[in-house]
Amino acid sequence: MTSAAKIVERLTGAAGLSVMPAADLVTLLRDTFSYAGLSDADAAVAADVAGHGTLHGSDAHGAVQMPLYIAGLLDGTIKSKPNIAISGHLPCCKVMDADHALGLVAGQKAIDAAIEMAKTYGMGAVAVRRSSHNGTAGYFSERAAAHGLIGMAFTNAMPAIAPTGSTEALLGTNPIGAAFPLPGRDPIVLDMATSVVARSRIRAMQALGKPLPEGWAIDAEGRPTTDPAVAVKGSVLPIGGPKGYALALMVELLCSALSDAEPGFQVIYENMEKRPSNIAQFYMAMNPEGFVPRDRYEARAAHVADVIVKAKPVAGGEPPRLPGARGHAANRKARADGVAITDNLANALKNVARLIESRAA
């Protein structure tokens, strides 16, 4: 196994770069996960998932979450060698007990199980309990789309959103991921929080000492705030007011009620309290051929996509962009030209280096 000193040196060196080859970043993530106790196979999966958000252009998701993952693995609140078990009473419905596994790994196992069921039965769904942060929902739904399937991924999270009419944060930002394959081109990929902004963005703004835009958050008394330090103690606003609150509640029920898991308002991330976070997730795959012949689905989906991207733009603007298009373009650029090491990413890599150095001392 790579020594602590060597991993620290590589993490610190990467943090000092302006640009890093994408393959090198993923390799560094893999080796860091290996150092933290994951098997070679699981470390490769975790690196692939953790790198996804970064390679797709996000500065608030992806590798910037490495301190959360590595702290949990080093503390043992996230198990490096869990006993993951899948059970169920119906052919296309399963429940996974992740045994406090790294959510990146448990999530891939769950969506892969859903994919195999969908290939056989037309649909497949896996509800997951006792998991942890799973990265980006878009990764898992896009994985199903790579098999020609429609993919969906949901996760609950620690409290961040107050139900409309309340000042008490009870629901997580509860992301929704969905992907629809298109013939011969990138899939349509939806990856969004049910809040105006992901809470990680607010923490990132806090770390950078920047104020929040108006309309992102309220304080603990329900008053609007642009102070990120105040916002993290209050609530993030849901998208579309009560509509976003309802979507967050829908995700909560899909994840925790179907897996018989603790609700999101009992979730606390491992780096905030040294105990398993007990996050719940829900993954689904659907085979278009269970509904219509493949060529008919592809023709209809492609037609819808074509009409949208050719729609008349606003004055001086560009035509509409399909969901996921910006991420696909960012991924291709990152793989061709390298990943920009932003301040957020550099800080995350340095924080992981400090974690490893302190544990090894």
Side-chain angles (χ1 to χ4, degrees), residues 90 98 109 184 188 238 243 258 265 270 311:
L90 294 172
K109 292 181 185 297
I188 294 172
K243 296 178 182 179
L258 290 182
F265 48 76
E270 294 87 354

Side-chain angles (χ1 to χ4, degrees), residues 2 4-5 29 35 55 68 73 135 161 172 193 252 276 312 321 329 342 359:
T2 305
L29 300 182
Y35 174 83
L55 267 60
L68 171 66
L73 288 166
I161 295 175
E252 175 61 51
K312 182 179 178 181
R321 184 175 55 213
T342 63
R359 299 298 199 282

Side-chain angles (χ1 to χ4, degrees), residues 257-311:
L258 290 182
S259 67
D260 192 20
E262 293 181 1
F265 48 76
Q266 293 177 220
V267 168
I268 299 177
Y269 294 137
E270 294 87 354
N271 63 345
M272 301 180 69
E273 187 173 310
K274 290 188 178 181
R275 67 171 182 82
S277 57
N278 287 312
I279 291 173
Q281 285 128 10
F282 185 79
Y283 302 91
M284 178 181 288
M286 293 184 286
N287 190 339
E289 294 179 80
F291 301 87
V292 294
R294 171 69 60 174
D295 63 336
R296 298 311 305 146
Y297 163 79
E298 291 182 344
R300 293 291 189 184
H303 175 62
V304 170
D306 288 340
V307 170
I308 288 174
V309 299
K310 294 175 182 176

Side-chain angles (χ1 to χ4, degrees), residues 14 16-20 339-342:
L17 299 174
S18 57
V19 177
M20 185 176 190
V339 178
I341 306 299
T342 63

Side-chain angles (χ1 to χ4, degrees), residues 33 38 46 69 73 78-79 82 100-107 131-133:
F33 280 122
L38 293 188
Y69 307 139
L73 288 166
I78 297 175
K79 291 185 180 180
H100 307 306
L102 185 65
L104 311 176
V105 175
S131 186
S132 61
H133 192 282

Side-chain angles (χ1 to χ4, degrees), residues 120-132:
T120 301
Y121 303 109
M123 302 183 75
V126 179
V128 182
R129 62 173 174 258
R130 298 207 301 163
S131 186
S132 61

